[in-house]
Amino acid sequence: QVQLVESGGGFVQAGGSLRLSCVASISISSIDVMGWYRQAPGKQRELVAAITSSGATNYGDSVKGRFTISRDNTGNTVYLQMNSLKPEDTAVYYCNAALVVVLVTNYWGQGTQVTVSS
C-alpha cells in the first residue's frame, strides 16, 4: 500500500502560480511513475503531468510550457509547479503513484482543490 497526501491547492487569480506537493508513504525512488491528474466538475479525470523513476516527463497538451513536474528522489515528494494559471485549470488535482510489477497498480491521493478566477 502507498499513501499519498497532496497539499498546496488554493485560490489564485488568472496569471498566477501555485505549487502542489505530494508526499508518499514510501520512498518515491521505488515508484515507477508518479503523476498529477485533475478532474473538473462534469468532466473526466485527465492527465496533467507524469514523471518516471528515471526522470522522463510527460505533460497534457493544455499545460505544456506552463506546468513543471519534478520529484525529489532522495525523499518522498513530487511537485507540480503551475504558472500562468487559467480559469480552465480549475479542478481537483490528484496525485498518482503507479507501481509496475507484471501488472500496474495505481494509488491515489485524496485530491486538492485549485480554483483560478478570471
Side-chain angles (χ1 to χ4, degrees), residues 1 3 8 11 15 21 30 47 53 62 74 84 89 92 102 105 115:
Q1 285 285 344
Q3 282 78 48
F11 184 93
S21 299
S30 60
L47 172 70
S53 56
S62 62
T74 63
S84 302
D89 294 318
V92 178
V102 182
T105 302
T115 303

Side-chain angles (χ1 to χ4, degrees), residues 4-7 92-95 108-112:
L4 303 170
V5 179
E6 304 101 332
S7 62
V92 178
Y93 284 69
Y94 296 91
C95 182
W108 295 93
Q110 81 287 351
T112 185

Side-chain angles (χ1 to χ4, degrees), residues 44-107:
Q44 289 188 333
R45 190 171 296 190
E46 64 175 357
L47 172 70
V48 176
I51 186 167
T52 69
S53 56
S54 61
T57 58
N58 184 39
Y59 294 92
D61 288 341
S62 62
V63 306
K64 286 180 181 176
R66 300 188 297 123
F67 291 11
T68 303
I69 189 170
S70 61
R71 59 192 288 167
D72 174 13
N73 276 333
T74 63
N76 56 353
T77 306
V78 172
Y79 304 96
L80 183 68
Q81 179 66 43
M82 306 186 294
N83 298 327
S84 302
L85 283 160
K86 304 175 181 180
E88 51 263 44
D89 294 318
T90 295
V92 178
Y93 284 69
Y94 296 91
C95 182
N96 169 268
L99 276 67
V100 182
V101 180
V102 182
L103 299 176
V104 179
T105 302
N106 283 291
Y107 298 92

Side-chain angles (χ1 to χ4, degrees), residues 25-39:
S25 59
I26 64 172
S27 172
I28 61 171
S29 62
S30 60
I31 300 175
D32 297 285
V33 184
M34 293 206 68
W36 288 95
Y37 290 73
R38 67 186 182 188
Q39 188 166 19

